[in-house]
Amino acid sequence: MMKAAQITHYKQAIPAITQVPIPSIGPHDVLVKVVTASINPIDLKTQAGGLKMLLTYRMPLTLGSDLAGIVVKTGAQVTRFKVGAAVYGRVQKKRIGTFAEYIAVTQNDLALKPKKLSFAEAAALPLVSLTSYQALHDILRLQPGQKVLIQGGAGGIGTIAIQIAKMLGAYVATTASPKNFDLVRDLGADQVIDYHTTPFQSVLQDYDAVFDTRGGQTLRDAFQIVKPGGQIVSISDVPTGRFARTYGLPLWKQLVLQFATRRVTALAKRTQATYTFLFMRPDGQQLATLTPLFENGTLKPIIDRVVPFDDLSTALRYARAGHATGKIIIQIATDQEMAGRL
Ligand SMILES: NC(=O)c1ccc[n+]([C@@H]2O[C@H](COP(=O)([O-])OP(=O)(O)OC[C@H]3O[C@@H](n4cnc5c(N)ncnc54)[C@H](OP(=O)(O)O)[C@@H]3O)[C@@H](O)[C@H]2O)c1
């Protein structure tokens, strides 16, 4: 048996840490002893039932999307990892559950943990770095000298997105609170806007790209700053009808989402901008291509706090307030406990 943080129904305020069986593994899975996990807003949205258009889960459900840990068992077809390997990754959306002592994960979701990073640092990276890389590199294809606005520079996404955009050679503007100005400048931001006092559209213009992490009016305002032919990627607004088609949602959901996003679609047309909604893809191979950048310090994790597993509900409440600086890490096994096991 193992400890796992589960909900039995959507909108359950606090997941209960309960004893459940250690999961069994399929031929392409590994069983990972979770050392650290990190909180992402998707965990809170899942808990609240806010993703039901895209994902439905059977209850009880163990929460958690990101992990760093040790492989303790491998399926018959597993080729990439051996027992004892230290790994990290963002697990499949339909197979979440990293807020637990063990999880069965397909080998394709994992990469070897960067050796120079602690387990806490490693767990801070998979979901936010894959999301940011898929937005800034794969979709926006940022080129040296291009101007990009990254909303929410001090958040889990923003702190890594700024670094990736700078690595790609872009000029980076970001929004943050004054208490985080030094941090986002240290990460490479060229221009920082206090979102409490200054509408970004009053100071930025002719941008090549916007990485929107807020959605709603903030996303709609972004169309005022992109130049014709510019691009906007949102990870926080309502998914578009086009996304729903490519994601394979039924026709009625495609139509609902197409209707819900008609204003944004019209704005994109009017401003001659390309608009894309991104729902990030877990990808162990892509994470492995980023690993050397974590090893050599080009990209570094920013951690707000590390919280023991038993204090998960306090940590989730803190995350829900929406003002963490970087990532919140859940310590599930201590490094010493792991050292004793190996
Ligand atoms: N679609 C996808 O695949 C995907 C993937 C990852 C994340 N997301 C979404 O992306 C969003 C951001 O994720 P995250 O991990 O960065 O969240 P987060 O870490 O919880 O974001 C917290 C940060 O947001 C800042 N913030 C709050 N309100 C702001 C505003 N109005 N303008 C600018 N900054 C503001 C806060 O700064 P202050 O403390 O200064 O207020 C804080 O630093 C979430 O909605 C999440 O669900 C989507």
Side-chain angles (χ1 to χ4, degrees):
M1 299 291 278
M2 64 169 192
K3 285 204 281 186
Q6 292 197 325
I7 54 169
T8 53
H9 56 276
Y10 290 122
K11 299 200 167 87
Q12 180 177 330
I14 299 170
I17 298 184
T18 46
Q19 288 288 330
V20 299
I22 293 175
S24 53
I25 55 170
H28 299 280
D29 293 343
V30 298
L31 184 68
V32 178
K33 162 88 182 153
V34 182
V35 179
T36 46
S38 73
I39 296 180
N40 289 282
I42 194 167
D43 306 322
L44 307 168
K45 291 177 184 177
T46 301
Q47 185 181 3
L51 293 172
K52 277 195 256 177
M53 274 303 251
L54 301 180
L55 291 164
T56 46
Y57 291 103
R58 279 214 307 262
M59 299 288 163
L61 172 68
T62 304
L63 296 169
S65 312
D66 265 338
L67 66 78
I70 306 275
V71 173
V72 292
K73 207 180 205 181
T74 56
Q77 307 288 323
V78 169
T79 51
R80 294 182 55 219
F81 304 103
K82 291 196 163 57
V83 169
V87 292
Y88 71 140
R90 188 282 195 240
V91 300
Q92 287 297 305
K93 294 163 191 163
K94 291 188 176 154
R95 299 183 66 190
I96 60 171
T98 64
F99 299 159
E101 289 181 299
Y102 296 89
I103 183 171
V105 188
T106 167
Q107 62 171 341
N108 293 338
D109 293 349
L110 298 171
L112 290 171
K113 175 180 111 20
K115 287 193 179 63
K116 284 197 182 147
L117 267 50
S118 67
F119 281 94
E121 289 170 324
L125 289 164
L127 192 148
V128 291
S129 62
L130 287 171
T131 307
S132 302
Y133 194 73
Q134 289 166 15
L136 299 167
H137 178 269
D138 298 350
I139 299 176
L140 293 173
R141 297 179 183 277
L142 277 185
Q143 301 298 317
Q146 285 193 321
K147 292 196 289 186
V148 62
L149 167 64
I150 294 169
Q151 299 283 11
I157 289 285
T159 48
I160 198 81
I162 291 171
Q163 299 178 71
I164 292 176
K166 289 311 295 177
M167 180 185 82
L168 297 172
Y171 176 93
V172 176
T174 194
T175 51
S177 297
K179 67 175 164 59
N180 292 319
F181 277 17
D182 286 347
L183 169 71
V184 295
R185 284 197 187 109
D186 284 351
L187 295 173
D190 299 287
Q191 187 171 352
V192 187
I193 298 154
D194 179 355
Y195 75 84
H196 300 279
T197 58
T198 311
F200 64 88
Q201 67 275 25
S202 69
V203 288
L204 305 179
Q205 55 193 354
D206 287 333
Y207 264 61
D208 297 285
V210 175
F211 182 23
D212 171 67
T213 62
R214 311 299 317 167
Q217 190 58 46
T218 308
L219 166 63
R220 292 193 288 277
D221 290 342
F223 286 91
Q224 296 178 38
I225 73 157
V226 281
K227 59 188 187 194
Q231 298 186 76
I232 299 181
V233 172
S234 179
I235 55 170
S236 282
D237 205 61
V238 178
T240 56
R242 184 155 50 96
F243 168 83
R245 263 193 309 285
T246 53
Y247 196 64
L249 295 183
L251 184 61
W252 74 268
K253 286 191 178 180
Q254 294 178 29
L255 294 173
V256 168
L257 293 173
Q258 188 179 328
F259 184 74
T261 52
R262 65 197 182 285
R263 281 177 75 187
V264 172
T265 309
L267 270 173
K269 203 166 174 186
R270 196 178 329 136
T271 55
Q272 298 170 47
T274 306
Y275 172 64
T276 310
F277 172 82
L278 167 67
F279 195 19
M280 65 81 58
R281 184 184 80 248
D283 186 341
Q285 303 271 13
Q286 191 171 50
L287 189 60
T289 67
L290 297 175
T291 301
L293 303 167
F294 304 136
E295 293 276 20
N296 69 20
T298 304
L299 304 176
K300 57 179 183 190
I302 301 298
I303 293 179
D304 181 297
R305 63 191 61 191
V306 182
V307 177
F309 193 20
D310 288 342
D311 292 340
L312 176 67
S313 55
T314 314
L316 289 170
R317 257 196 305 278
Y318 177 65
R320 196 171 293 119
H323 297 292
T325 300
K327 299 285 297 177
I328 305 161
I329 308 299
I330 307 301
Q331 185 77 45
I332 294 177
T334 61
D335 286 358
Q336 292 89 322
E337 187 190 339
M338 292 317 300
R341 280 176 176 267
L342 295 176

